[in-house]
Each structure stands twice: as structure tokens, then as C-alpha cells.
PDB file of all heavy atoms in Angstrom:
ATOM      1  N   LYS A 893     -44.539 130.886-136.619  1.00  0.00           N
ATOM      2  CA  LYS A 893     -44.342 132.298-136.350  1.00  0.00           C
ATOM      3  C   LYS A 893     -44.953 133.151-137.460  1.00  0.00           C
ATOM      4  O   LYS A 893     -44.722 134.338-137.548  1.00  0.00           O
ATOM      5  CB  LYS A 893     -42.853 132.593-136.202  1.00  0.00           C
ATOM      6  CG  LYS A 893     -42.265 131.932-134.965  1.00  0.00           C
ATOM      7  CD  LYS A 893     -40.770 132.202-134.879  1.00  0.00           C
ATOM      8  CE  LYS A 893     -40.168 131.624-133.635  1.00  0.00           C
ATOM      9  NZ  LYS A 893     -40.154 130.184-133.568  1.00  0.00           N
ATOM     10  N   CYS A 894     -45.716 132.511-138.348  1.00  0.00           N
ATOM     11  CA  CYS A 894     -46.400 133.241-139.394  1.00  0.00           C
ATOM     12  C   CYS A 894     -47.844 132.752-139.498  1.00  0.00           C
ATOM     13  O   CYS A 894     -48.223 131.776-138.853  1.00  0.00           O
ATOM     14  CB  CYS A 894     -45.682 133.113-140.740  1.00  0.00           C
ATOM     15  SG  CYS A 894     -45.490 131.439-141.346  1.00  0.00           S
ATOM     16  N   LEU A 895     -48.626 133.424-140.291  1.00  0.00           N
ATOM     17  CA  LEU A 895     -50.042 133.118-140.423  1.00  0.00           C
ATOM     18  C   LEU A 895     -50.361 132.828-141.876  1.00  0.00           C
ATOM     19  O   LEU A 895     -50.134 133.669-142.748  1.00  0.00           O
ATOM     20  CB  LEU A 895     -50.871 134.312-139.933  1.00  0.00           C
ATOM     21  CG  LEU A 895     -52.368 134.221-140.149  1.00  0.00           C
ATOM     22  CD1 LEU A 895     -52.978 133.126-139.270  1.00  0.00           C
ATOM     23  CD2 LEU A 895     -53.020 135.557-139.838  1.00  0.00           C
ATOM     24  N   ARG A 896     -50.861 131.629-142.139  1.00  0.00           N
ATOM     25  CA  ARG A 896     -51.347 131.285-143.464  1.00  0.00           C
ATOM     26  C   ARG A 896     -52.862 131.342-143.394  1.00  0.00           C
ATOM     27  O   ARG A 896     -53.503 130.457-142.844  1.00  0.00           O
ATOM     28  CB  ARG A 896     -50.892 129.900-143.899  1.00  0.00           C
ATOM     29  CG  ARG A 896     -51.121 129.724-145.380  1.00  0.00           C
ATOM     30  CD  ARG A 896     -51.832 128.575-145.966  1.00  0.00           C
ATOM     31  NE  ARG A 896     -52.399 127.531-145.215  1.00  0.00           N
ATOM     32  CZ  ARG A 896     -53.677 127.195-145.328  1.00  0.00           C
ATOM     33  NH1 ARG A 896     -54.524 127.880-146.069  1.00  0.00           N
ATOM     34  NH2 ARG A 896     -54.141 126.164-144.664  1.00  0.00           N
ATOM     35  N   PRO A 897     -53.460 132.411-143.916  1.00  0.00           N
ATOM     36  CA  PRO A 897     -54.909 132.529-143.818  1.00  0.00           C
ATOM     37  C   PRO A 897     -55.603 131.480-144.686  1.00  0.00           C
ATOM     38  O   PRO A 897     -55.252 131.325-145.858  1.00  0.00           O
ATOM     39  CB  PRO A 897     -55.190 133.942-144.321  1.00  0.00           C
ATOM     40  CG  PRO A 897     -53.999 134.345-145.105  1.00  0.00           C
ATOM     41  CD  PRO A 897     -52.845 133.539-144.610  1.00  0.00           C
ATOM     42  N   PRO A 898     -56.549 130.753-144.099  1.00  0.00           N
ATOM     43  CA  PRO A 898     -57.287 129.770-144.901  1.00  0.00           C
ATOM     44  C   PRO A 898     -57.860 130.412-146.166  1.00  0.00           C
ATOM     45  O   PRO A 898     -58.343 131.552-146.133  1.00  0.00           O
ATOM     46  CB  PRO A 898     -58.396 129.311-143.958  1.00  0.00           C
ATOM     47  CG  PRO A 898     -57.807 129.493-142.587  1.00  0.00           C
ATOM     48  CD  PRO A 898     -56.996 130.759-142.704  1.00  0.00           C
ATOM     49  N   TYR A 899     -57.750 129.686-147.271  1.00  0.00           N
ATOM     50  CA  TYR A 899     -58.226 130.132-148.584  1.00  0.00           C
ATOM     51  C   TYR A 899     -57.443 131.337-149.123  1.00  0.00           C
ATOM     52  O   TYR A 899     -57.792 131.879-150.164  1.00  0.00           O
ATOM     53  CB  TYR A 899     -59.730 130.480-148.551  1.00  0.00           C
ATOM     54  CG  TYR A 899     -60.558 129.457-147.834  1.00  0.00           C
ATOM     55  CD1 TYR A 899     -61.072 129.723-146.578  1.00  0.00           C
ATOM     56  CD2 TYR A 899     -60.791 128.204-148.398  1.00  0.00           C
ATOM     57  CE1 TYR A 899     -61.819 128.785-145.892  1.00  0.00           C
ATOM     58  CE2 TYR A 899     -61.539 127.248-147.722  1.00  0.00           C
ATOM     59  CZ  TYR A 899     -62.055 127.541-146.472  1.00  0.00           C
ATOM     60  OH  TYR A 899     -62.791 126.591-145.799  1.00  0.00           O
ATOM     61  N   GLY A 900     -56.444 131.784-148.394  1.00  0.00           N
ATOM     62  CA  GLY A 900     -55.710 132.978-148.786  1.00  0.00           C
ATOM     63  C   GLY A 900     -56.535 134.247-148.593  1.00  0.00           C
ATOM     64  O   GLY A 900     -56.200 135.296-149.117  1.00  0.00           O
ATOM     65  N   ALA A 901     -57.601 134.128-147.810  1.00  0.00           N
ATOM     66  CA  ALA A 901     -58.529 135.241-147.620  1.00  0.00           C
ATOM     67  C   ALA A 901     -57.981 136.218-146.582  1.00  0.00           C
ATOM     68  O   ALA A 901     -57.864 135.879-145.403  1.00  0.00           O
ATOM     69  CB  ALA A 901     -59.894 134.717-147.180  1.00  0.00           C
ATOM     70  N   ILE A 902     -57.614 137.402-147.051  1.00  0.00           N
ATOM     71  CA  ILE A 902     -57.151 138.450-146.148  1.00  0.00           C
ATOM     72  C   ILE A 902     -57.798 139.768-146.563  1.00  0.00           C
ATOM     73  O   ILE A 902     -58.236 139.930-147.704  1.00  0.00           O
ATOM     74  CB  ILE A 902     -55.615 138.599-146.145  1.00  0.00           C
ATOM     75  CG1 ILE A 902     -55.091 138.847-147.554  1.00  0.00           C
ATOM     76  CG2 ILE A 902     -54.946 137.404-145.515  1.00  0.00           C
ATOM     77  CD1 ILE A 902     -53.627 139.170-147.612  1.00  0.00           C
ATOM     78  N   ASN A 903     -57.849 140.663-145.632  1.00  0.00           N
ATOM     79  CA  ASN A 903     -58.274 142.031-145.901  1.00  0.00           C
ATOM     80  C   ASN A 903     -57.437 142.935-145.005  1.00  0.00           C
ATOM     81  O   ASN A 903     -56.548 142.448-144.293  1.00  0.00           O
ATOM     82  CB  ASN A 903     -59.787 142.207-145.683  1.00  0.00           C
ATOM     83  CG  ASN A 903     -60.232 141.858-144.283  1.00  0.00           C
ATOM     84  OD1 ASN A 903     -59.439 141.850-143.327  1.00  0.00           O
ATOM     85  ND2 ASN A 903     -61.520 141.566-144.127  1.00  0.00           N
ATOM     86  N   SER A 904     -57.697 144.216-145.022  1.00  0.00           N
ATOM     87  CA  SER A 904     -56.865 145.131-144.245  1.00  0.00           C
ATOM     88  C   SER A 904     -56.986 144.859-142.746  1.00  0.00           C
ATOM     89  O   SER A 904     -55.999 145.002-142.016  1.00  0.00           O
ATOM     90  CB  SER A 904     -57.213 146.582-144.563  1.00  0.00           C
ATOM     91  OG  SER A 904     -58.566 146.849-144.268  1.00  0.00           O
ATOM     92  N   GLU A 905     -58.167 144.460-142.267  1.00  0.00           N
ATOM     93  CA  GLU A 905     -58.315 144.163-140.838  1.00  0.00           C
ATOM     94  C   GLU A 905     -57.469 142.958-140.445  1.00  0.00           C
ATOM     95  O   GLU A 905     -56.739 143.002-139.459  1.00  0.00           O
ATOM     96  CB  GLU A 905     -59.778 143.901-140.488  1.00  0.00           C
ATOM     97  CG  GLU A 905     -60.603 145.141-140.365  1.00  0.00           C
ATOM     98  CD  GLU A 905     -62.008 144.843-139.881  1.00  0.00           C
ATOM     99  OE1 GLU A 905     -62.603 143.833-140.300  1.00  0.00           O
ATOM    100  OE2 GLU A 905     -62.494 145.639-139.060  1.00  0.00           O
ATOM    101  N   VAL A 906     -57.584 141.868-141.192  1.00  0.00           N
ATOM    102  CA  VAL A 906     -56.811 140.658-140.885  1.00  0.00           C
ATOM    103  C   VAL A 906     -55.323 140.956-140.944  1.00  0.00           C
ATOM    104  O   VAL A 906     -54.563 140.546-140.073  1.00  0.00           O
ATOM    105  CB  VAL A 906     -57.192 139.493-141.829  1.00  0.00           C
ATOM    106  CG1 VAL A 906     -56.220 138.334-141.702  1.00  0.00           C
ATOM    107  CG2 VAL A 906     -58.624 139.035-141.572  1.00  0.00           C
ATOM    108  N   ARG A 907     -54.905 141.694-141.962  1.00  0.00           N
ATOM    109  CA  ARG A 907     -53.482 142.047-142.077  1.00  0.00           C
ATOM    110  C   ARG A 907     -53.038 142.862-140.862  1.00  0.00           C
ATOM    111  O   ARG A 907     -51.984 142.616-140.284  1.00  0.00           O
ATOM    112  CB  ARG A 907     -53.228 142.826-143.364  1.00  0.00           C
ATOM    113  CG  ARG A 907     -51.754 143.036-143.647  1.00  0.00           C
ATOM    114  CD  ARG A 907     -51.509 143.630-145.020  1.00  0.00           C
ATOM    115  NE  ARG A 907     -51.959 142.812-146.123  1.00  0.00           N
ATOM    116  CZ  ARG A 907     -51.317 141.737-146.598  1.00  0.00           C
ATOM    117  NH1 ARG A 907     -50.195 141.344-146.029  1.00  0.00           N
ATOM    118  NH2 ARG A 907     -51.787 141.064-147.618  1.00  0.00           N
ATOM    119  N   GLY A 908     -53.849 143.798-140.431  1.00  0.00           N
ATOM    120  CA  GLY A 908     -53.515 144.611-139.258  1.00  0.00           C
ATOM    121  C   GLY A 908     -53.464 143.791-137.980  1.00  0.00           C
ATOM    122  O   GLY A 908     -52.568 143.967-137.149  1.00  0.00           O
ATOM    123  N   TRP A 909     -54.429 142.901-137.805  1.00  0.00           N
ATOM    124  CA  TRP A 909     -54.450 142.058-136.609  1.00  0.00           C
ATOM    125  C   TRP A 909     -53.244 141.129-136.591  1.00  0.00           C
ATOM    126  O   TRP A 909     -52.643 140.905-135.546  1.00  0.00           O
ATOM    127  CB  TRP A 909     -55.738 141.245-136.542  1.00  0.00           C
ATOM    128  CG  TRP A 909     -56.995 142.056-136.431  1.00  0.00           C
ATOM    129  CD1 TRP A 909     -57.110 143.342-135.976  1.00  0.00           C
ATOM    130  CD2 TRP A 909     -58.302 141.633-136.784  1.00  0.00           C
ATOM    131  NE1 TRP A 909     -58.427 143.735-136.025  1.00  0.00           N
ATOM    132  CE2 TRP A 909     -59.182 142.714-136.510  1.00  0.00           C
ATOM    133  CE3 TRP A 909     -58.835 140.457-137.303  1.00  0.00           C
ATOM    134  CZ2 TRP A 909     -60.556 142.640-136.738  1.00  0.00           C
ATOM    135  CZ3 TRP A 909     -60.201 140.384-137.533  1.00  0.00           C
ATOM    136  CH2 TRP A 909     -61.045 141.459-137.249  1.00  0.00           C
ATOM    137  N   ALA A 910     -52.906 140.563-137.750  1.00  0.00           N
ATOM    138  CA  ALA A 910     -51.735 139.676-137.836  1.00  0.00           C
ATOM    139  C   ALA A 910     -50.465 140.463-137.512  1.00  0.00           C
ATOM    140  O   ALA A 910     -49.611 139.993-136.746  1.00  0.00           O
ATOM    141  CB  ALA A 910     -51.653 139.049-139.220  1.00  0.00           C
ATOM    142  N   ASP A 911     -50.344 141.663-138.070  1.00  0.00           N
ATOM    143  CA  ASP A 911     -49.176 142.515-137.789  1.00  0.00           C
ATOM    144  C   ASP A 911     -49.082 142.820-136.299  1.00  0.00           C
ATOM    145  O   ASP A 911     -48.007 142.740-135.705  1.00  0.00           O
ATOM    146  CB  ASP A 911     -49.246 143.823-138.571  1.00  0.00           C
ATOM    147  CG  ASP A 911     -48.953 143.663-140.051  1.00  0.00           C
ATOM    148  OD1 ASP A 911     -48.439 142.593-140.460  1.00  0.00           O
ATOM    149  OD2 ASP A 911     -49.251 144.612-140.804  1.00  0.00           O
ATOM    150  N   ALA A 912     -50.218 143.159-135.690  1.00  0.00           N
ATOM    151  CA  ALA A 912     -50.241 143.491-134.258  1.00  0.00           C
ATOM    152  C   ALA A 912     -49.815 142.306-133.406  1.00  0.00           C
ATOM    153  O   ALA A 912     -49.202 142.473-132.351  1.00  0.00           O
ATOM    154  CB  ALA A 912     -51.630 143.965-133.844  1.00  0.00           C
ATOM    155  N   GLY A 913     -50.112 141.096-133.861  1.00  0.00           N
ATOM    156  CA  GLY A 913     -49.734 139.897-133.126  1.00  0.00           C
ATOM    157  C   GLY A 913     -48.338 139.400-133.459  1.00  0.00           C
ATOM    158  O   GLY A 913     -47.868 138.401-132.909  1.00  0.00           O
ATOM    159  N   GLY A 914     -47.666 140.069-134.410  1.00  0.00           N
ATOM    160  CA  GLY A 914     -46.322 139.653-134.800  1.00  0.00           C
ATOM    161  C   GLY A 914     -46.303 138.467-135.745  1.00  0.00           C
ATOM    162  O   GLY A 914     -45.326 137.725-135.796  1.00  0.00           O
ATOM    163  N   TYR A 915     -47.383 138.289-136.515  1.00  0.00           N
ATOM    164  CA  TYR A 915     -47.479 137.170-137.449  1.00  0.00           C
ATOM    165  C   TYR A 915     -47.418 137.668-138.889  1.00  0.00           C
ATOM    166  O   TYR A 915     -48.405 138.192-139.404  1.00  0.00           O
ATOM    167  CB  TYR A 915     -48.789 136.398-137.255  1.00  0.00           C
ATOM    168  CG  TYR A 915     -48.875 135.689-135.946  1.00  0.00           C
ATOM    169  CD1 TYR A 915     -49.598 136.222-134.882  1.00  0.00           C
ATOM    170  CD2 TYR A 915     -48.231 134.478-135.765  1.00  0.00           C
ATOM    171  CE1 TYR A 915     -49.677 135.562-133.673  1.00  0.00           C
ATOM    172  CE2 TYR A 915     -48.306 133.810-134.554  1.00  0.00           C
ATOM    173  CZ  TYR A 915     -49.028 134.358-133.520  1.00  0.00           C
ATOM    174  OH  TYR A 915     -49.094 133.714-132.323  1.00  0.00           O
ATOM    175  N   PRO A 916     -46.281 137.494-139.563  1.00  0.00           N
ATOM    176  CA  PRO A 916     -46.248 137.823-140.990  1.00  0.00           C
ATOM    177  C   PRO A 916     -47.238 136.936-141.745  1.00  0.00           C
ATOM    178  O   PRO A 916     -47.409 135.756-141.405  1.00  0.00           O
ATOM    179  CB  PRO A 916     -44.818 137.503-141.416  1.00  0.00           C
ATOM    180  CG  PRO A 916     -44.044 137.308-140.161  1.00  0.00           C
ATOM    181  CD  PRO A 916     -45.014 136.972-139.083  1.00  0.00           C
ATOM    182  N   ILE A 917     -47.889 137.491-142.743  1.00  0.00           N
ATOM    183  CA  ILE A 917     -48.812 136.719-143.575  1.00  0.00           C
ATOM    184  C   ILE A 917     -47.998 135.862-144.546  1.00  0.00           C
ATOM    185  O   ILE A 917     -47.083 136.362-145.214  1.00  0.00           O
ATOM    186  CB  ILE A 917     -49.748 137.643-144.375  1.00  0.00           C
ATOM    187  CG1 ILE A 917     -50.592 138.517-143.438  1.00  0.00           C
ATOM    188  CG2 ILE A 917     -50.614 136.848-145.342  1.00  0.00           C
ATOM    189  CD1 ILE A 917     -51.702 137.820-142.728  1.00  0.00           C
ATOM    190  N   ALA A 918     -48.320 134.587-144.631  1.00  0.00           N
ATOM    191  CA  ALA A 918     -47.649 133.662-145.540  1.00  0.00           C
ATOM    192  C   ALA A 918     -48.665 133.144-146.553  1.00  0.00           C
ATOM    193  O   ALA A 918     -49.603 132.433-146.196  1.00  0.00           O
ATOM    194  CB  ALA A 918     -47.044 132.502-144.753  1.00  0.00           C
ATOM    195  N   LEU A 919     -48.479 133.533-147.794  1.00  0.00           N
ATOM    196  CA  LEU A 919     -49.320 133.029-148.869  1.00  0.00           C
ATOM    197  C   LEU A 919     -48.496 132.065-149.717  1.00  0.00           C
ATOM    198  O   LEU A 919     -47.350 131.774-149.389  1.00  0.00           O
ATOM    199  CB  LEU A 919     -49.877 134.191-149.695  1.00  0.00           C
ATOM    200  CG  LEU A 919     -50.794 135.131-148.917  1.00  0.00           C
ATOM    201  CD1 LEU A 919     -51.210 136.322-149.786  1.00  0.00           C
ATOM    202  CD2 LEU A 919     -52.019 134.416-148.377  1.00  0.00           C
ATOM    203  N   TRP A 920     -49.030 131.566-150.779  1.00  0.00           N
ATOM    204  CA  TRP A 920     -48.357 130.542-151.566  1.00  0.00           C
ATOM    205  C   TRP A 920     -48.396 130.890-153.037  1.00  0.00           C
ATOM    206  O   TRP A 920     -49.213 131.669-153.507  1.00  0.00           O
ATOM    207  CB  TRP A 920     -48.980 129.165-151.324  1.00  0.00           C
ATOM    208  CG  TRP A 920     -50.458 129.149-151.614  1.00  0.00           C
ATOM    209  CD1 TRP A 920     -51.058 128.818-152.795  1.00  0.00           C
ATOM    210  CD2 TRP A 920     -51.509 129.502-150.719  1.00  0.00           C
ATOM    211  NE1 TRP A 920     -52.417 128.952-152.686  1.00  0.00           N
ATOM    212  CE2 TRP A 920     -52.725 129.375-151.413  1.00  0.00           C
ATOM    213  CE3 TRP A 920     -51.545 129.920-149.394  1.00  0.00           C
ATOM    214  CZ2 TRP A 920     -53.957 129.643-150.842  1.00  0.00           C
ATOM    215  CZ3 TRP A 920     -52.776 130.188-148.815  1.00  0.00           C
ATOM    216  CH2 TRP A 920     -53.963 130.034-149.528  1.00  0.00           C
ATOM    217  N   ASP A 921     -47.468 130.239-153.779  1.00  0.00           N
ATOM    218  CA  ASP A 921     -47.384 130.394-155.229  1.00  0.00           C
ATOM    219  C   ASP A 921     -47.957 129.186-155.953  1.00  0.00           C
ATOM    220  O   ASP A 921     -48.463 129.305-157.059  1.00  0.00           O
ATOM    221  CB  ASP A 921     -45.916 130.563-155.659  1.00  0.00           C
ATOM    222  CG  ASP A 921     -45.262 131.741-154.984  1.00  0.00           C
ATOM    223  OD1 ASP A 921     -45.694 132.880-155.232  1.00  0.00           O
ATOM    224  OD2 ASP A 921     -44.332 131.523-154.178  1.00  0.00           O
ATOM    225  N   VAL A 922     -47.821 128.012-155.329  1.00  0.00           N
ATOM    226  CA  VAL A 922     -48.260 126.764-155.942  1.00  0.00           C
ATOM    227  C   VAL A 922     -49.239 126.071-155.004  1.00  0.00           C
ATOM    228  O   VAL A 922     -48.907 125.772-153.857  1.00  0.00           O
ATOM    229  CB  VAL A 922     -47.059 125.811-156.199  1.00  0.00           C
ATOM    230  CG1 VAL A 922     -47.528 124.490-156.792  1.00  0.00           C
ATOM    231  CG2 VAL A 922     -46.034 126.477-157.095  1.00  0.00           C
ATOM    232  N   ASP A 923     -50.441 125.848-155.504  1.00  0.00           N
ATOM    233  CA  ASP A 923     -51.441 125.082-154.757  1.00  0.00           C
ATOM    234  C   ASP A 923     -51.455 123.676-155.343  1.00  0.00           C
ATOM    235  O   ASP A 923     -51.807 123.487-156.507  1.00  0.00           O
ATOM    236  CB  ASP A 923     -52.818 125.726-154.887  1.00  0.00           C
ATOM    237  CG  ASP A 923     -53.885 125.046-154.041  1.00  0.00           C
ATOM    238  OD1 ASP A 923     -53.608 123.965-153.458  1.00  0.00           O
ATOM    239  OD2 ASP A 923     -54.997 125.593-153.955  1.00  0.00           O
ATOM    240  N   THR A 924     -51.047 122.703-154.550  1.00  0.00           N
ATOM    241  CA  THR A 924     -50.970 121.324-155.029  1.00  0.00           C
ATOM    242  C   THR A 924     -52.340 120.669-155.161  1.00  0.00           C
ATOM    243  O   THR A 924     -52.441 119.585-155.728  1.00  0.00           O
ATOM    244  CB  THR A 924     -50.129 120.466-154.071  1.00  0.00           C
ATOM    245  OG1 THR A 924     -50.776 120.438-152.796  1.00  0.00           O
ATOM    246  CG2 THR A 924     -48.712 120.993-153.956  1.00  0.00           C
ATOM    247  N   LEU A 925     -53.357 121.305-154.613  1.00  0.00           N
ATOM    248  CA  LEU A 925     -54.716 120.745-154.609  1.00  0.00           C
ATOM    249  C   LEU A 925     -54.766 119.378-153.926  1.00  0.00           C
ATOM    250  O   LEU A 925     -55.617 118.543-154.233  1.00  0.00           O
ATOM    251  CB  LEU A 925     -55.291 120.666-156.032  1.00  0.00           C
ATOM    252  CG  LEU A 925     -55.313 121.985-156.817  1.00  0.00           C
ATOM    253  CD1 LEU A 925     -55.836 121.762-158.228  1.00  0.00           C
ATOM    254  CD2 LEU A 925     -56.154 123.036-156.097  1.00  0.00           C
ATOM    255  N   ASP A 926     -53.827 119.157-152.997  1.00  0.00           N
ATOM    256  CA  ASP A 926     -53.759 117.865-152.313  1.00  0.00           C
ATOM    257  C   ASP A 926     -55.014 117.578-151.493  1.00  0.00           C
ATOM    258  O   ASP A 926     -55.329 116.426-151.213  1.00  0.00           O
ATOM    259  CB  ASP A 926     -52.501 117.760-151.446  1.00  0.00           C
ATOM    260  CG  ASP A 926     -52.468 118.772-150.321  1.00  0.00           C
ATOM    261  OD1 ASP A 926     -52.976 119.898-150.489  1.00  0.00           O
ATOM    262  OD2 ASP A 926     -51.909 118.440-149.271  1.00  0.00           O
ATOM    263  N   TRP A 927     -55.762 118.613-151.143  1.00  0.00           N
ATOM    264  CA  TRP A 927     -56.994 118.418-150.383  1.00  0.00           C
ATOM    265  C   TRP A 927     -58.034 117.635-151.182  1.00  0.00           C
ATOM    266  O   TRP A 927     -58.953 117.054-150.617  1.00  0.00           O
ATOM    267  CB  TRP A 927     -57.565 119.774-149.925  1.00  0.00           C
ATOM    268  CG  TRP A 927     -57.778 120.739-151.041  1.00  0.00           C
ATOM    269  CD1 TRP A 927     -56.872 121.647-151.522  1.00  0.00           C
ATOM    270  CD2 TRP A 927     -58.944 120.884-151.843  1.00  0.00           C
ATOM    271  NE1 TRP A 927     -57.410 122.353-152.577  1.00  0.00           N
ATOM    272  CE2 TRP A 927     -58.691 121.904-152.791  1.00  0.00           C
ATOM    273  CE3 TRP A 927     -60.183 120.249-151.855  1.00  0.00           C
ATOM    274  CZ2 TRP A 927     -59.630 122.291-153.739  1.00  0.00           C
ATOM    275  CZ3 TRP A 927     -61.119 120.654-152.796  1.00  0.00           C
ATOM    276  CH2 TRP A 927     -60.839 121.660-153.723  1.00  0.00           C
ATOM    277  N   LYS A 928     -57.843 117.550-152.496  1.00  0.00           N
ATOM    278  CA  LYS A 928     -58.750 116.746-153.333  1.00  0.00           C
ATOM    279  C   LYS A 928     -58.409 115.254-153.258  1.00  0.00           C
ATOM    280  O   LYS A 928     -59.117 114.436-153.813  1.00  0.00           O
ATOM    281  CB  LYS A 928     -58.680 117.203-154.788  1.00  0.00           C
ATOM    282  CG  LYS A 928     -59.271 118.574-155.020  1.00  0.00           C
ATOM    283  CD  LYS A 928     -59.246 118.911-156.496  1.00  0.00           C
ATOM    284  CE  LYS A 928     -59.915 120.228-156.775  1.00  0.00           C
ATOM    285  NZ  LYS A 928     -59.951 120.534-158.223  1.00  0.00           N
ATOM    286  N   ARG A 929     -57.289 114.950-152.585  1.00  0.00           N
ATOM    287  CA  ARG A 929     -56.841 113.583-152.368  1.00  0.00           C
ATOM    288  C   ARG A 929     -56.536 112.810-153.663  1.00  0.00           C
ATOM    289  O   ARG A 929     -56.847 111.631-153.788  1.00  0.00           O
ATOM    290  CB  ARG A 929     -57.837 112.818-151.512  1.00  0.00           C
ATOM    291  CG  ARG A 929     -58.088 113.469-150.181  1.00  0.00           C
ATOM    292  CD  ARG A 929     -58.851 112.536-149.259  1.00  0.00           C
ATOM    293  NE  ARG A 929     -59.493 113.192-148.162  1.00  0.00           N
ATOM    294  CZ  ARG A 929     -58.893 113.778-147.138  1.00  0.00           C
ATOM    295  NH1 ARG A 929     -57.600 113.804-147.080  1.00  0.00           N
ATOM    296  NH2 ARG A 929     -59.586 114.336-146.175  1.00  0.00           N
ATOM    297  N   GLY A 930     -55.904 113.515-154.602  1.00  0.00           N
ATOM    298  CA  GLY A 930     -55.484 112.857-155.827  1.00  0.00           C
ATOM    299  C   GLY A 930     -54.288 111.953-155.580  1.00  0.00           C
ATOM    300  O   GLY A 930     -53.740 111.910-154.467  1.00  0.00           O
ATOM    301  N   PRO A 931     -53.849 111.238-156.611  1.00  0.00           N
ATOM    302  CA  PRO A 931     -52.676 110.363-156.472  1.00  0.00           C
ATOM    303  C   PRO A 931     -51.421 111.164-156.129  1.00  0.00           C
ATOM    304  O   PRO A 931     -51.284 112.324-156.535  1.00  0.00           O
ATOM    305  CB  PRO A 931     -52.541 109.716-157.849  1.00  0.00           C
ATOM    306  CG  PRO A 931     -53.804 109.998-158.578  1.00  0.00           C
ATOM    307  CD  PRO A 931     -54.435 111.199-157.939  1.00  0.00           C
ATOM    308  N   ALA A 932     -50.504 110.530-155.437  1.00  0.00           N
ATOM    309  CA  ALA A 932     -49.275 111.198-154.999  1.00  0.00           C
ATOM    310  C   ALA A 932     -48.519 111.813-156.166  1.00  0.00           C
ATOM    311  O   ALA A 932     -48.046 112.949-156.071  1.00  0.00           O
ATOM    312  CB  ALA A 932     -48.383 110.224-154.231  1.00  0.00           C
ATOM    313  N   GLN A 933     -48.386 111.101-157.270  1.00  0.00           N
ATOM    314  CA  GLN A 933     -47.623 111.627-158.406  1.00  0.00           C
ATOM    315  C   GLN A 933     -48.289 112.875-158.979  1.00  0.00           C
ATOM    316  O   GLN A 933     -47.619 113.834-159.353  1.00  0.00           O
ATOM    317  CB  GLN A 933     -47.449 110.570-159.498  1.00  0.00           C
ATOM    318  CG  GLN A 933     -46.483 110.997-160.599  1.00  0.00           C
ATOM    319  CD  GLN A 933     -45.061 111.204-160.083  1.00  0.00           C
ATOM    320  OE1 GLN A 933     -44.471 110.329-159.476  1.00  0.00           O
ATOM    321  NE2 GLN A 933     -44.499 112.390-160.336  1.00  0.00           N
ATOM    322  N   GLN A 934     -49.594 112.889-159.017  1.00  0.00           N
ATOM    323  CA  GLN A 934     -50.324 114.060-159.515  1.00  0.00           C
ATOM    324  C   GLN A 934     -50.070 115.279-158.624  1.00  0.00           C
ATOM    325  O   GLN A 934     -49.853 116.385-159.121  1.00  0.00           O
ATOM    326  CB  GLN A 934     -51.815 113.743-159.563  1.00  0.00           C
ATOM    327  CG  GLN A 934     -52.683 114.886-160.020  1.00  0.00           C
ATOM    328  CD  GLN A 934     -54.158 114.514-159.996  1.00  0.00           C
ATOM    329  OE1 GLN A 934     -54.524 113.358-160.168  1.00  0.00           O
ATOM    330  NE2 GLN A 934     -54.995 115.500-159.765  1.00  0.00           N
ATOM    331  N   ILE A 935     -50.085 115.055-157.319  1.00  0.00           N
ATOM    332  CA  ILE A 935     -49.802 116.140-156.368  1.00  0.00           C
ATOM    333  C   ILE A 935     -48.368 116.638-156.567  1.00  0.00           C
ATOM    334  O   ILE A 935     -48.116 117.843-156.650  1.00  0.00           O
ATOM    335  CB  ILE A 935     -50.028 115.670-154.920  1.00  0.00           C
ATOM    336  CG1 ILE A 935     -51.510 115.320-154.699  1.00  0.00           C
ATOM    337  CG2 ILE A 935     -49.552 116.717-153.922  1.00  0.00           C
ATOM    338  CD1 ILE A 935     -51.779 114.573-153.398  1.00  0.00           C
ATOM    339  N   ALA A 936     -47.435 115.707-156.663  1.00  0.00           N
ATOM    340  CA  ALA A 936     -46.024 116.060-156.839  1.00  0.00           C
ATOM    341  C   ALA A 936     -45.797 116.828-158.136  1.00  0.00           C
ATOM    342  O   ALA A 936     -45.031 117.795-158.166  1.00  0.00           O
ATOM    343  CB  ALA A 936     -45.160 114.803-156.806  1.00  0.00           C
TER     344      ALA A 936
END
């Protein structure tokens, strides 16, 4: 029920379109960098 924009890339248009669709923008505080496929303990 929310929108996590890839790369955290948003602008006023995206924010407006998300609002119009009823999707709150969800950003993050901690990027685990898990997409780099490091060891589990490093990600944790």
C-alpha cells in the first residue's frame, strides 16, 4: 500500500502521482547493500 521508489529517486511529479494513487512514499534509513551479495553477517 506504499511506494518505494527505486534508488530513492523522487521528484515533485512522482510524489504527486503517488499521492494521487494513494501510495505513501516509503524511503529508508539503513541500506544493507545486500544487492552486492555480501556475506549474511556483513549484511546483518
Side-chain angles (χ1 to χ4, degrees):
K893 293 178 177 67
C894 59
L895 173 68
R896 194 231 1 125
Y899 315 106
I902 56 173
N903 58 21
S904 60
E905 282 186 321
V906 169
R907 189 172 298 282
W909 297 338
D911 286 346
Y915 293 100
I917 300 286
L919 297 175
W920 56 93
D921 302 296
V922 178
D923 185 352
T924 62
L925 304 177
D926 63 327
W927 55 270
K928 291 184 176 183
R929 303 192 199 292
Q933 189 63 55
Q934 178 182 331
I935 296 168

